[in-house]
Amino acid sequence: MNHIALRSAVVSAIVLGSTFVPVGAQAKSVEGSVLSLVNVTRADAGCEPLRLDHRLNRAASAHSADMSRRGYFSHTTPEGVTFGERIRRAGYPKPGAENIARGQTSARQVVDDWLASSGHRENIVNCELRAVGIGVSPDGQYWTQDFGY
């Protein structure tokens, strides 16, 4: 698929697994909105869209909730568990990267902040990464994106 066609497809759809789902069906969720915005950026960079993976979602959601509940902000838990270990424990075999954020109030704000940070942007536009999970803490203050190969 050429770059222009891919960007058009991503703007009008969110990728879930190997199928396209109309934006309205999933983007009602904050996580779906993050996925849509990230995939537009990836299309602009010439990358294929990320597919949402339930195992990565589980790892990302649990990490956001844990950071919120215990009041820390790190890729590594207070016990020393890394993002890669958390992703593998959730059943995903090939962890790739992680983005975290705190304090943003919308999908647009968190994605804009990640894109303004070179390390976070590198994760988002790393064309070798193929899957993502997105989690927002119940209080809406902590955000996690877990990526997989």
Side-chain angles (χ1 to χ4, degrees):
M1 184 178 282
N2 72 40
H3 173 73
I4 301 298
L6 177 62
R7 188 174 198 294
S8 295
V10 171
V11 168
S12 64
I14 294 175
V15 177
L16 296 174
S18 61
T19 61
F20 280 93
V21 176
V23 168
Q26 177 66 22
K28 292 177 185 173
S29 74
V30 174
E31 294 89 349
S33 296
V34 169
L35 179 63
S36 182
L37 292 166
V38 163
N39 277 336
V40 168
T41 300
R42 285 176 61 87
D44 289 344
C47 299
E48 293 292 320
L50 291 167
R51 64 179 169 74
L52 202 57
D53 184 275
H54 71 278
R55 299 162 297 182
L56 293 170
N57 265 355
R58 186 168 49 243
S61 294
H63 189 56
S64 290
D66 187 51
M67 288 189 294
S68 175
R69 184 177 55 255
R70 299 201 293 161
Y72 71 96
F73 183 68
S74 177
H75 294 284
T76 304
T77 70
E79 297 76 27
V81 179
T82 66
F83 81 89
E85 291 170 296
R86 287 186 280 98
I87 289 171
R88 282 188 199 92
R89 286 180 185 173
Y92 194 87
K94 295 178 75 178
E98 182 175 74
N99 287 345
I100 60 173
R102 176 176 56 192
Q104 293 78 4
T105 59
S106 69
R108 169 66 67 188
Q109 186 181 22
V110 76
V111 171
D112 285 350
D113 286 354
W114 279 331
L115 293 174
S117 161
S118 62
H120 294 100
R121 175 182 272 285
E122 286 175 25
N123 291 339
I124 289 170
V125 298
N126 179 342
C127 295
E128 293 179 19
L129 296 170
R130 300 291 185 197
V132 70
I134 301 158
V136 183
S137 63
D139 65 3
Q141 293 296 304
Y142 291 82
W143 304 73
T144 303
Q145 265 187 321
D146 282 332
F147 298 90
Y149 290 104

